[in-house]
Amino acid sequence: MKNCSLFGIVLNFKHAGFMGVIDFFNTSSICTIKSQISLCFLASDRPSCPFQRNHRRFTCMASTVPLKNAEEESQQRLTGDSFIRPHLRELSPYQPILPFEVLSTRLGRKPEDIIKLDANENPYGPPPEVFEVLGAMKFPYVYPDPQSRRLRAALAEDSGLESEYILAGCGADELIDLIMRCVLDPGDKIVDCPPTFTMYEFDAAVNGAIVIKVPRKSDFSLDVKLITEVVEQERPKCIFLTSPNNPDGSIINDEVLLKILDLPLLVVLDEAYIEFSGVKSRMGWVKKHENLIVLRTFSKRAGLAGLRVGYGAFPLSIIEYLWRAKQPYNVSVAAELSACAALKNPVYLEKVKVALVEERERLFKLLKEVPYLKPYPSYSNFILCEVTSGMDAKKLKEDLAKMGVMIRHYNNKELKGYVRVSVGKPEHTDALMSSLNCLS
Ligand SMILES: Cc1ncc(COP(=O)(O)O)c(C=O)c1O
């Protein structure tokens, strides 16, 4: 940019999905543009600016706006948010849960004394091998393998699906965003089936997509008829499905999934909690269905939520574009080492899963006895409860927090009057139940 005193460019985007590269050469205001856009300069130290467009040369005339006025005007107009993309200025921030360290400081209790049942983490944590490899980590100063080869090989063995179909990410969350960045142009539509994991709607908004909501039925099953109609009428590009669904824990059967796979759209099946369901993962289905992506995570199955490792199974015709678009070092050295170490101890992973499933059944029975709660049967490591008998769901969550028990409450309209409780260790259930009994 040396010697190129450029005060303003107006880019006239002909296509909302424009991706262009503009090179400014240093000796004059010559610039090259490798895209289909039209450009005009407000000011430059040379009167004209030749540049290429699809191998043809174009000339832009410099503006006749006096430099001083333009400078004053731009100083008046420019506030930080004027640089932000307009659709993001409208975006409400994602509502994260309260960090448990913050609550523990507020209550004057040790973090380990907080009963954290609000984010579906695995309270048993990872197998001991994970702590060993983290302690013995030799090369934290070297960038990680951009292809996470060791992890993908281990995942291939774990899942039975070849590693070329697998891509790892900084949590399943990163993969949701990466898929949207690869698939959606601003203004494209996605189908979301609330109540469900709110990140789909949030990431769609960040990516400038339009969310078509097809609410679940009163038993939280998918409304396949309405989904089919919406697909015919609105031509959305993809649908996000979750099995087991967060927050109610219901699963999607093969028949329903196959019907949706028959529709002309990309189906992203989020299996973050599949291990607790007793149902086999559909990762292998991506070999047969070119419009299916399956997402999974180490956060729940292996107690690695804090280290951020997720993975997905993709058809080969899709995965190559994700490789191109992903951040090169998206899975850290610590995350890859930990995930590989966790997979080396399947006995531990199985034991923890069985403990959580057994505890889920005990918790369900106990919640059923609470006069102001109606729990829903769940295939996951959490239980959704309707708060009844005139009790306020938000106040219930706040009262429990004061006693050091964190559960999830919702502000959205679909889940007003509901709370979600993660399955913890038996002693967590006991603490929750005695707090709930205090409130009866
Ligand atoms: C349905 C669902 N998908 C994905 C995630 C995020 O997984 P990760 O921790 O791997 O980003 C969550 C987290 O709670 C979830 O509930």
Side-chain angles (χ1 to χ4, degrees):
M1 283 276 283
K2 246 194 268 168
N3 299 331
C4 185
S5 59
L6 193 67
F7 295 113
I9 306 175
V10 176
L11 295 176
N12 183 1
F13 292 83
K14 287 204 172 132
H15 303 287
F18 159 76
M19 295 230 326
V21 178
I22 304 171
D23 296 326
F24 291 104
F25 293 92
N26 63 1
T27 49
S28 69
S29 53
I30 293 172
C31 45
T32 314
I33 181 154
K34 301 168 187 163
S35 173
Q36 294 192 333
I37 63 164
S38 59
L39 268 180
C40 93
F41 288 94
L42 290 181
S44 136
D45 61 357
R46 297 279 171 111
S48 67
C49 170
F51 59 90
Q52 291 173 322
R53 176 187 171 186
N54 289 348
H55 308 293
R56 283 189 289 151
R57 288 170 72 83
F58 283 73
T59 302
C60 270
M61 295 304 294
S63 157
T64 52
V65 177
L67 287 190
K68 207 162 169 228
N69 284 358
E71 225 172 341
E72 276 166 10
E73 214 178 273
S74 73
Q75 268 168 13
Q76 270 170 15
R77 262 189 287 121
L78 284 187
T79 55
D81 65 346
S82 68
F83 298 109
I84 302 297
R85 298 169 70 192
H87 75 278
L88 291 182
R89 281 187 241 150
E90 310 295 315
L91 185 72
S92 347
Y94 184 73
Q95 297 223 308
I97 49 161
L98 185 73
F100 77 133
E101 294 93 335
V102 175
L103 183 68
S104 76
T105 310
R106 258 187 221 168
L107 297 178
R109 292 193 193 179
K110 287 193 277 182
E112 47 274 36
D113 291 340
I114 299 293
I115 313 292
K116 192 168 179 336
L117 304 175
D118 61 346
N120 306 337
E121 288 123 335
N122 181 334
Y124 291 96
E129 287 83 349
V130 169
F131 296 98
E132 282 159 24
V133 292
L134 286 176
M137 193 164 43
K138 273 199 194 143
F139 304 110
Y141 53 89
V142 175
Y143 284 113
D145 171 10
Q147 292 180 33
S148 314
R149 271 168 268 230
R150 283 189 50 212
L151 174 56
R152 286 172 45 244
L155 282 169
E157 216 175 298
D158 173 67
S159 66
L161 180 69
E162 293 86 338
S163 63
E164 64 206 285
Y165 293 90
I166 300 172
L167 188 141
C170 178
D173 279 349
E174 188 211 3
L175 298 176
I176 295 167
D177 181 54
L178 179 61
I179 293 164
M180 290 203 193
R181 287 198 288 118
C182 288
V183 168
L184 300 173
D185 276 328
D188 276 348
K189 295 168 185 166
I190 73 153
V191 178
D192 190 35
C193 301
T196 191
F197 187 41
T198 47
M199 283 304 282
Y200 314 133
E201 187 181 348
F202 174 78
D203 282 328
V206 172
N207 284 285
I210 296 165
V211 179
I212 307 173
K213 294 192 184 188
V214 181
R216 286 166 177 262
K217 295 182 189 167
S218 57
D219 63 352
F220 297 107
S221 63
L222 293 171
D223 191 335
V224 182
K225 192 166 167 277
L226 199 54
I227 291 172
T228 310
E229 281 169 26
V230 159
V231 172
E232 273 162 17
Q233 282 164 28
E234 300 290 333
R235 297 274 153 208
K237 215 145 180 211
C238 62
I239 184 168
F240 282 79
L241 302 176
T242 322
S243 183
N245 187 42
N246 175 4
D248 63 281
S250 63
I251 50 172
I252 302 173
N253 65 33
D254 283 1
E255 192 191 337
V256 166
L257 183 58
L258 285 167
K259 271 191 195 153
I260 298 175
L261 280 168
D262 264 349
L263 300 172
L265 82 173
L266 176 65
V267 178
V268 182
L269 178 66
D270 186 338
E271 291 189 338
Y273 302 97
I274 193 72
E275 293 79 11
F276 306 107
S277 70
V279 172
K280 198 168 171 279
S281 165
R282 269 82 168 229
M283 278 177 75
W285 287 31
V286 302
K287 282 180 151 182
K288 265 206 269 161
H289 299 275
E290 291 243 356
N291 62 336
L292 175 66
I293 290 173
V294 180
L295 298 180
R296 295 187 57 184
T297 179
F298 280 85
S299 296
K300 323 291 174 181
R301 69 179 297 201
L304 288 178
L307 277 149
R308 315 302 301 125
V309 210
Y311 54 104
F314 302 83
L316 297 181
S317 51
I318 292 180
I319 201 167
E320 70 165 288
Y321 297 98
L322 295 169
W323 280 117
R324 294 184 202 184
K326 85 170 185 75
Q327 294 289 329
Y329 306 124
N330 59 334
V331 180
S332 75
V333 171
E336 183 171 15
L337 280 173
S338 304
C340 289
L343 289 176
K344 284 209 178 109
N345 195 342
V347 174
Y348 175 95
L349 298 183
E350 180 64 18
K351 212 170 97 189
V352 161
K353 181 197 82 184
V354 169
L356 286 168
V357 168
E358 278 175 14
E359 193 55 23
R360 175 182 76 204
E361 299 314 310
R362 183 172 89 98
L363 176 64
F364 181 77
K365 282 192 195 124
L366 290 169
L367 289 172
K368 249 172 110 172
E369 284 161 22
V370 178
Y372 52 87
L373 291 180
K374 181 185 165 208
Y376 285 79
S378 166
Y379 286 85
S380 195
N381 67 338
F382 48 80
I383 295 177
L384 185 72
C385 300
E386 190 178 346
V387 182
T388 61
S389 316
M391 182 81 115
D392 183 76
K394 186 160 181 269
K395 186 162 181 313
L396 172 63
K397 176 227 146 104
E398 285 164 359
D399 288 346
L400 286 174
K402 284 181 201 146
M403 294 183 248
V405 179
M406 299 172 81
I407 63 165
R408 182 82 154 90
H409 155 264
Y410 300 88
N411 286 324
N412 55 15
K413 70 171 191 314
E414 294 96 8
L415 287 170
K416 200 170 178 309
Y418 287 81
V419 291
R420 189 196 64 201
V421 184
S422 307
V423 179
K425 294 179 178 175
E427 56 266 38
H428 299 150
T429 303
D430 296 342
L432 168 74
M433 293 318 298
S434 54
S435 300
L436 286 172
N437 289 334
C438 288
L439 298 172
S440 295

